[in-house]
Amino acid sequence: MNIVFLGPPGAGKGTHAQRLMKELNIPQISTGDMFRRAIREQTPTGMDAKRYMDKGELVPDEVVVAMVKERLAEPDCANGYILDGFPRTVAQAEALDTIAKIDVALNIDTPDEIIISRLSGRRVCAACGGTFHVSMLKGENCPACGGELFLRDDDKPATVKNRLDIYQEKTAPLIDYYEKKGILSTAKCTDGGVEENYALVKAALNAMA
Ligand code: AP5
């Protein structure tokens, strides 16, 4: 099954995609993670993307589309995948339609006030890439592998506000785009915990299966 996860920053796309990929045994393809890796490795794509990401802006469509196209051609994508954070503009969705057939676009609908609290409390593991909320942590290190945890540069309040504005302007139109194709399913997320919201995501996915 080829799945697109839609939703504002902090909706829980990465958190739920990491669980679902283990359950379905298909890869999670996060364009944000791919760019962060490229930045760490100081590749030309990474250095270019950093200029946009630090301000909470979108990386140009042609850069993202080329990167995803290459990734989807890898053998582990043959039996399906979860696209997390792509597409993010109508132009990206149109480009995706020329290279893949999407079965479900799962919209993780989450109110702004929940998002702000989640992103300011998010910590990411430098070693395994796991994502956690400070409310789930007992110590200072990653509960999964013991690695060092850090706050993403783009999770600072002013940048989060810009990311939310850009989401409304550029990405929210994709809800209509996929609804018209008849493949949209929406999970209305709550301020409950990860388990509660994952159950809502699974129900929305099963409704389309
Ligand atoms: P990206 O990394 O994709 O960021 P994003 O879409 O803004 O999404 P986030 O990773 O912030 O949030 P999420 O929905 O995955 O939430 P998470 O699960 O972490 O992209 C970063 C940047 O890269 C972009 O701004 C852009 O510049 C660039 N980029 C990437 N893709 C691009 C594209 N296609 N085109 C152009 N540019 C692109 O959860 C958030 C927090 O909440 C965590 O702490 C988590 O533990 C916690 N949490 C989640 N669910 C719950 C819950 N139910 N209860 C309690 N806590 C929860």
Side-chain angles (χ1 to χ4, degrees), residues 15-26:
T15 299
H16 299 312
Q18 281 177 16
R19 288 178 168 222
L20 194 62
M21 79 166 183
K22 288 181 194 139
E23 247 182 74
L24 300 183
N25 199 24
I26 55 177

Side-chain angles (χ1 to χ4, degrees), residues 55-208:
K55 290 184 273 180
E57 288 169 7
L58 296 182
V59 177
D61 288 337
E62 59 277 16
V63 177
V64 194
V65 168
M67 184 174 78
V68 171
K69 196 172 177 182
E70 207 172 291
R71 178 67 186 87
L72 293 185
E74 288 179 25
D76 65 332
C77 293
N79 295 323
Y81 42 78
I82 306 163
L83 282 167
D84 160 9
F86 180 91
R88 250 181 166 91
T89 63
V90 170
Q92 291 180 18
E94 287 169 349
L96 178 62
D97 283 342
T98 68
I99 51 177
K101 184 188 168 299
I102 299 304
D103 301 300
V104 183
L106 208 147
N107 176 28
I108 308 183
D109 186 8
T110 311
D112 281 6
E113 59 275 17
I114 296 181
I115 286 166
I116 309 269
S117 128
R118 284 190 190 162
L119 293 185
S120 58
R122 171 163 59 187
R123 297 294 179 272
V124 182
C125 175
C128 71
T131 298
F132 308 93
H133 192 265
V134 284
S135 60
M136 307 168 181
L137 297 170
K138 296 208 172 70
E140 286 192 352
N141 288 73
C142 173
C145 77
E148 199 176 320
L149 297 173
F150 67 94
L151 176 73
R152 271 170 46 175
D153 284 342
D154 60 352
D155 281 347
K156 290 170 189 150
T159 316
V160 168
K161 162 89 176 61
N162 196 28
R163 286 163 65 198
L164 285 171
D165 290 347
I166 287 176
Y167 170 79
Q168 284 306 336
E169 184 196 341
K170 303 266 175 68
T171 310
L174 292 179
I175 295 170
D176 248 19
Y177 181 91
Y178 285 113
E179 188 154 42
K180 284 189 183 127
K181 287 182 178 288
I183 57 169
L184 184 82
S185 191
T186 296
K188 278 208 164 291
C189 285
T190 67
D191 61 359
V194 174
E195 294 301 334
E196 180 176 313
N197 283 297
Y198 185 61
L200 296 169
V201 166
K202 283 293 298 288
L205 189 63
N206 290 339
M208 299 296 285

